[in-house]
CSV table of all heavy atoms in Angstrom, one decimal:
chain,number,residue,atom,x,y,z
A,147,ALA,N,4.9,12.2,33.7
A,147,ALA,CA,6.0,13.0,34.1
A,147,ALA,C,7.1,12.9,33.0
A,147,ALA,O,7.8,13.9,32.8
A,147,ALA,CB,6.5,12.6,35.4
A,148,VAL,N,7.3,11.7,32.4
A,148,VAL,CA,8.3,11.6,31.4
A,148,VAL,C,7.9,12.4,30.2
A,148,VAL,O,8.7,13.1,29.6
A,148,VAL,CB,8.4,10.1,31.0
A,148,VAL,CG1,9.2,9.9,29.7
A,148,VAL,CG2,9.1,9.3,32.1
A,149,MET,N,6.6,12.3,29.8
A,149,MET,CA,6.2,13.1,28.6
A,149,MET,C,6.4,14.6,28.8
A,149,MET,O,6.9,15.3,27.9
A,149,MET,CB,4.7,12.9,28.4
A,149,MET,CG,4.4,11.5,27.7
A,149,MET,SD,2.6,11.2,27.5
A,149,MET,CE,2.1,12.7,26.6
A,150,ASN,N,6.1,15.1,30.0
A,150,ASN,CA,6.3,16.5,30.3
A,150,ASN,C,7.8,17.0,30.1
A,150,ASN,O,8.0,18.1,29.6
A,150,ASN,CB,5.9,16.8,31.7
A,150,ASN,CG,4.4,16.8,32.0
A,150,ASN,OD1,3.6,16.9,31.0
A,150,ASN,ND2,4.0,16.7,33.2
A,151,ARG,N,8.7,16.1,30.4
A,151,ARG,CA,10.1,16.4,30.3
A,151,ARG,C,10.7,16.1,28.9
A,151,ARG,O,11.6,16.8,28.5
A,151,ARG,CB,10.9,15.6,31.4
A,151,ARG,CG,10.7,16.1,32.8
A,151,ARG,CD,11.1,15.2,33.8
A,151,ARG,NE,11.0,15.8,35.2
A,151,ARG,CZ,9.9,15.9,35.9
A,151,ARG,NH1,8.7,15.5,35.3
A,151,ARG,NH2,9.9,16.5,37.0
A,152,ALA,N,10.1,15.1,28.2
A,152,ALA,CA,10.7,14.7,26.9
A,152,ALA,C,10.2,15.6,25.8
A,152,ALA,O,10.9,15.6,24.8
A,152,ALA,CB,10.2,13.2,26.6
A,153,ARG,N,9.1,16.3,26.0
A,153,ARG,CA,8.6,17.1,24.9
A,153,ARG,C,9.5,18.1,24.3
A,153,ARG,O,9.4,18.4,23.1
A,153,ARG,CB,7.2,17.7,25.3
A,153,ARG,CG,7.4,18.7,26.4
A,153,ARG,CD,6.0,19.0,27.1
A,153,ARG,NE,5.1,19.9,26.3
A,153,ARG,CZ,5.1,21.2,26.4
A,153,ARG,NH1,6.0,21.8,27.2
A,153,ARG,NH2,4.2,21.9,25.7
A,154,VAL,N,10.5,18.6,25.1
A,154,VAL,CA,11.4,19.6,24.6
A,154,VAL,C,12.5,19.0,23.7
A,154,VAL,O,13.3,19.7,23.1
A,154,VAL,CB,12.0,20.5,25.7
A,154,VAL,CG1,10.9,21.2,26.5
A,154,VAL,CG2,12.9,19.6,26.6
A,155,TRP,N,12.6,17.6,23.7
A,155,TRP,CA,13.6,17.0,22.9
A,155,TRP,C,13.1,16.2,21.7
A,155,TRP,O,13.9,15.4,21.1
A,155,TRP,CB,14.4,16.0,23.9
A,155,TRP,CG,15.1,16.7,25.0
A,155,TRP,CD1,14.8,16.8,26.3
A,155,TRP,CD2,16.3,17.5,24.8
A,155,TRP,NE1,15.7,17.5,27.0
A,155,TRP,CE2,16.7,17.9,26.1
A,155,TRP,CE3,17.1,17.8,23.7
A,155,TRP,CZ2,17.8,18.7,26.3
A,155,TRP,CZ3,18.2,18.6,23.9
A,155,TRP,CH2,18.6,19.0,25.2
A,156,LEU,N,11.9,16.4,21.3
A,156,LEU,CA,11.3,15.6,20.2
A,156,LEU,C,11.9,16.1,18.9
A,156,LEU,O,12.1,15.3,17.9
A,156,LEU,CB,9.8,15.7,20.2
A,156,LEU,CG,9.1,15.1,21.4
A,156,LEU,CD1,7.6,15.3,21.3
A,156,LEU,CD2,9.5,13.6,21.6
A,157,ALA,N,12.2,17.4,18.8
A,157,ALA,CA,12.6,18.0,17.5
A,157,ALA,C,14.0,17.3,17.0
A,157,ALA,O,14.1,17.1,15.8
A,157,ALA,CB,12.7,19.5,17.6
A,158,PRO,N,14.9,17.1,17.9
A,158,PRO,CA,16.2,16.5,17.4
A,158,PRO,C,15.9,15.1,16.9
A,158,PRO,O,16.6,14.7,15.9
A,158,PRO,CB,17.1,16.5,18.7
A,158,PRO,CG,16.6,17.5,19.6
A,158,PRO,CD,15.1,17.6,19.3
A,159,LEU,N,15.0,14.4,17.5
A,159,LEU,CA,14.7,13.0,17.0
A,159,LEU,C,14.1,13.1,15.6
A,159,LEU,O,14.5,12.3,14.7
A,159,LEU,CB,13.6,12.4,17.9
A,159,LEU,CG,14.1,11.9,19.3
A,159,LEU,CD1,12.9,11.6,20.2
A,159,LEU,CD2,15.1,10.7,19.2
A,160,LEU,N,13.2,14.1,15.4
A,160,LEU,CA,12.7,14.3,14.0
A,160,LEU,C,13.8,14.7,13.0
A,160,LEU,O,13.8,14.1,11.9
A,160,LEU,CB,11.6,15.4,14.1
A,160,LEU,CG,11.0,15.8,12.7
A,160,LEU,CD1,10.4,14.6,12.0
A,160,LEU,CD2,10.0,16.9,12.9
A,161,ALA,N,14.6,15.6,13.4
A,161,ALA,CA,15.7,16.0,12.5
A,161,ALA,C,16.6,14.9,12.0
A,161,ALA,O,17.0,14.8,10.9
A,161,ALA,CB,16.5,17.1,13.1
A,162,LEU,N,16.9,13.9,13.0
A,162,LEU,CA,17.7,12.8,12.6
A,162,LEU,C,17.0,11.8,11.7
A,162,LEU,O,17.7,11.1,10.9
A,162,LEU,CB,18.2,12.1,13.9
A,162,LEU,CG,19.2,12.8,14.7
A,162,LEU,CD1,19.3,12.2,16.1
A,162,LEU,CD2,20.6,12.7,14.0
A,163,SER,N,15.7,11.7,11.8
A,163,SER,CA,14.9,10.7,11.1
A,163,SER,C,14.4,11.1,9.7
A,163,SER,O,13.9,10.3,9.0
A,163,SER,CB,13.8,10.2,11.9
A,163,SER,OG,12.7,11.1,11.9
Side-chain angles (χ1 to χ4, degrees):
V148 166
M149 285 177 53
N150 288 341
R151 289 163 172 79
R153 63 199 283 272
V154 300
W155 293 108
L156 297 180
L159 290 168
L160 174 59
L162 286 164
S163 77

